[in-house]
Amino acid sequence: MSSPEIASLSWGQMKVKGCSTTYKDCKVWPGGSRTWDWRETGTNHSPGVQPADLEEVVKKGVKTVVIGRGMSEALQVPASTVDYLKKNGIDVLVLQTEKAVAEYNALAAQGVRVGGVFHSTC
């Protein structure tokens, strides 16, 4: 199964190819996507993305995870979260969301088993 292309991104809205849902924040992985609901793990801009936010994506067997920190990079990514991915043998890219989506789509187009979590506002 391949990682789905992120078809569009604008402030507060993301669309994933093959999915009718418009997301504010989303998780994507080979074969699927869903809303990234920060309330599930108690995530806030600070301290930011927690390993618990990424577990679902990691369990899909990804080789690379791309984290989109928001349009203004307000979402933090602690070193402990990066370490969690690296300890699981996963490459990680932490970028401003527009750059993150471009990188994710490029990797997906190359057939890389890539997943990601993306914040589409601040």
Side-chain angles (χ1 to χ4, degrees):
M1 239 180 255
S2 60
S3 299
E5 176 188 349
I6 296 174
S8 66
L9 167 68
S10 60
W11 184 273
Q13 295 188 337
M14 298 184 72
K15 294 209 53 93
V16 174
K17 191 172 186 177
C19 179
S20 61
T21 305
T22 299
Y23 301 112
K24 177 179 173 251
D25 300 319
C26 74
K27 296 182 179 189
V28 290
W29 58 82
S33 64
R34 78 171 182 92
T35 294
W36 178 18
D37 183 350
W38 293 13
R39 293 171 295 191
E40 292 173 358
T41 56
T43 295
N44 285 299
H45 287 102
S46 182
V49 182
Q50 304 301 303
D53 293 308
L54 300 169
E55 282 177 12
E56 178 179 18
V57 175
V58 167
K59 287 179 182 174
K60 303 293 183 181
V62 297
K63 300 296 178 205
T64 303
V65 168
V66 181
I67 300 173
R69 294 188 48 210
M71 300 299 210
S72 303
E73 299 182 87
L75 180 60
Q76 302 300 302
V77 180
S80 59
T81 298
V82 173
D83 290 345
Y84 162 76
L85 292 167
K86 289 183 176 177
K87 284 178 184 168
N88 279 284
I90 298 169
D91 294 328
V92 58
L93 298 167
V94 179
L95 301 164
Q96 185 266 358
T97 296
E98 290 161 313
K99 292 175 182 165
V101 166
E103 190 63 33
Y104 166 88
N105 279 342
L107 290 167
Q110 293 168 25
V112 174
R113 288 190 59 82
V114 60
V117 295
F118 302 94
H119 179 45
S120 73
T121 57
C122 52

